[in-house]
Amino acid sequence: MLIKRPPDIPSSEITSRNLFENRRAFLARAGVGLAAGAALWHGVPEAARATSTSTALATTPSAFSTTEALTDYKSVTTYNNFYEFGTDKADPARNAGRMVVRPWTLRVEGLAGRPRTFDIDALLRLAPLEERIYRMRCVEGWSMVIPWVGFPLAALLKDVDPLGSAKYVEFLTHYDPEIMTRRPVLEWPYGEGLRMDEALHPLTLLAVGLYGETLPNQNGAPVRLVVPWKYGFKSAKSIVTIRLTEKQPATAWNRAAPQEYGFYSNVNPEVSHPRWSQATERRIGELRRRPTLMFNGYADQVASLYQGMDLRKHY
Ligand SMILES: Nc1nc2c(c(=O)[nH]1)N[C@H]1C(S)=C(S)[C@@H](COP(=O)(O)O)O[C@H]1N2
Ligand SMILES: [Mo]
């Protein structure tokens, strides 16, 4: 399914060509299609498995994109955290193909004047799709540069007309014990949260694709959050509910280990995680570690959100 756009909106033809070629070259080199390499899981035969099929998306480029070298498509789609499908980095690519992402609905509810349920295809037409090349930094100490496709979460929130009492936004993700782990690795469904001003920040992206195509399942198809100045775990995958709340919502990682994962979880090289220093990171594909930047390098855009807050306390 191609996204139709009026002809006066510039297409991604020129700016995205390198990205498409990068991916195409990779696929050609590897001699595989998208779903290849997916192994059997829980004894479900290959033929019965829903396979992840990506579709091209028309995008416009974004001024927020970094010009840093992209992490290769293979690493972006095979080195993942999606604990519902296993805790090994390779597990999501192997197992998430079983998730059926069409049809899919996203419910936006809570303190909103016009709560709404979006069909995924209607969601894809809600706002112009942009290509946003963002740095992504996991609390485990690795980072990537990923060409996301999506639109600002603010466009969705404005559509439902948040009430003045809405101070936070909660994100709940798909959980199906038939295809996902039943082990209580975290509390399922996986939940995340943002303060309203963070959620409305123009950098906060509702992502529906990467490398010019719809999201592979392991990256959170069909819709996930991307908050580039926060650690990766804030970027909830495969979202089914967005709820506007007055009280700060509980989050999966904060519930699991409150000493290790706070509500804010801003990338901050000066505040160490109890088990891992956050001062440096390894960019996937590079050998030498590089220094981690305050707010993952987005300080100019987001530091003002936290003025007057003690970021050691609000980690
Ligand atoms: N539903 C869900 N979302 C999730 C996770 C998860 O386990 N389940 N892991 C988080 C973590 S720790 C990271 S680093 C990013 C990884 O996103 P990527 O695999 O697309 O790079 O997803 C986040 N979103
Ligand atoms: Mo992460």
Side-chain angles (χ1 to χ4, degrees), residues 135-138 193-195 198 204 227-235 263-267 295-296 298 305-306:
R135 287 179 289 278
M136 187 89 175
R137 169 49 162 98
C138 179
L194 295 173
R195 210 170 58 190
E198 298 176 323
T204 302
V227 195
W229 71 95
K230 293 179 181 277
Y231 293 115
F233 62 87
K234 296 299 285 185
S235 294
F263 177 80
Y264 285 94
S265 302
N266 292 312
V267 174
F295 295 114
N296 201 22
Y298 297 95
L305 294 172
Y306 308 102

Side-chain angles (χ1 to χ4, degrees), residues 1-312:
M1 173 216 59
L2 275 163
I3 302 306
K4 291 197 193 75
R5 300 241 157 263
D8 55 326
I9 296 179
S11 82
S12 59
E13 203 72 90
I14 296 157
T15 57
S16 274
R17 183 163 295 160
N18 290 340
L19 303 185
F20 286 118
E21 262 151 31
N22 187 339
R23 170 172 146 57
R24 238 188 251 126
F26 160 71
L27 289 175
R29 260 200 317 281
V32 294
L34 256 190
L40 299 187
W41 199 50
H42 289 181
V44 173
E46 186 85 16
R49 233 172 4 89
T51 50
S52 178
T53 46
S54 294
T55 319
L57 297 167
T59 63
T60 56
S62 165
F64 287 120
S65 288
T66 174
T67 54
E68 289 162 279
L70 300 179
T71 301
D72 67 280
Y73 181 84
K74 185 179 181 189
S75 299
V76 171
T77 56
T78 58
Y79 191 86
N80 302 104
N81 279 340
F82 198 161
Y83 278 12
E84 291 88 328
F85 290 109
T87 52
D88 192 88
K89 292 284 176 288
D91 285 340
R94 276 198 291 258
N95 301 329
R98 296 188 63 197
M99 182 166 61
V100 176
V101 300
R102 285 283 190 296
W104 188 280
T105 54
L106 171 62
R107 172 88 188 143
V108 189
E109 61 182 32
L111 302 172
R114 297 194 311 131
R116 238 183 111 175
T117 300
F118 292 88
D119 175 76
I120 186 65
D121 292 311
L123 189 73
L124 285 163
R125 289 186 301 264
L126 184 74
L129 296 181
E130 296 173 31
E131 181 171 81
R132 296 270 187 114
I133 304 172
Y134 279 168
R135 287 179 289 278
M136 187 89 175
R137 169 49 162 98
C138 179
V139 73
E140 295 163 350
W142 49 268
S143 64
M144 299 192 194
V145 176
I146 303 179
W148 298 109
V149 176
F151 57 82
L153 174 66
L156 177 79
L157 295 179
K158 280 170 187 155
D159 190 78
V160 301
D161 195 11
L163 302 181
S165 52
K167 300 282 188 281
Y168 293 91
V169 185
E170 181 177 22
F171 303 86
L172 295 172
T173 73
H174 181 60
Y175 180 63
D176 178 356
E178 295 300 317
I179 60 159
M180 292 167 165
T181 187
R182 291 167 196 249
R183 289 190 300 130
V185 186
L186 290 168
E187 239 176 71
W188 314 119
Y190 189 101
E192 259 308 334
L194 295 173
R195 210 170 58 190
M196 184 58 80
D197 58 346
E198 298 176 323
L200 291 173
H201 192 280
L203 279 174
T204 302
L205 196 71
L206 205 56
V208 296
L210 60 79
Y211 265 107
E213 300 178 342
T214 50
L215 284 170
N217 285 3
Q218 60 268 33
N219 293 92
V223 54
R224 55 111 29 105
L225 189 64
V226 178
V227 195
W229 71 95
K230 293 179 181 277
Y231 293 115
F233 62 87
K234 296 299 285 185
S235 294
K237 293 178 169 181
S238 306
I239 302 169
V240 290
T241 306
I242 295 180
R243 190 179 293 147
L244 310 191
T245 65
E246 182 152 22
K247 292 208 184 84
Q248 185 177 298
T251 70
W253 285 100
N254 183 243
R255 273 193 172 124
Q259 262 56 261
E260 301 192 14
Y261 308 103
F263 177 80
Y264 285 94
S265 302
N266 292 312
V267 174
N268 186 341
E270 287 155 27
V271 178
S272 282
H273 177 279
R275 287 185 283 145
W276 307 294
S277 161
Q278 300 299 328
T280 64
E281 67 199 50
R282 192 174 75 84
R283 182 69 50 89
I284 299 296
E286 294 179 354
L287 294 176
R288 213 172 285 133
R289 295 183 74 85
R290 49 166 77 209
T292 285
L293 305 175
M294 189 63 200
F295 295 114
N296 201 22
Y298 297 95
D300 286 351
Q301 290 95 331
V302 302
S304 61
L305 294 172
Y306 308 102
Q307 221 139 47
M309 278 176 74
D310 179 356
L311 294 179
R312 289 187 175 274

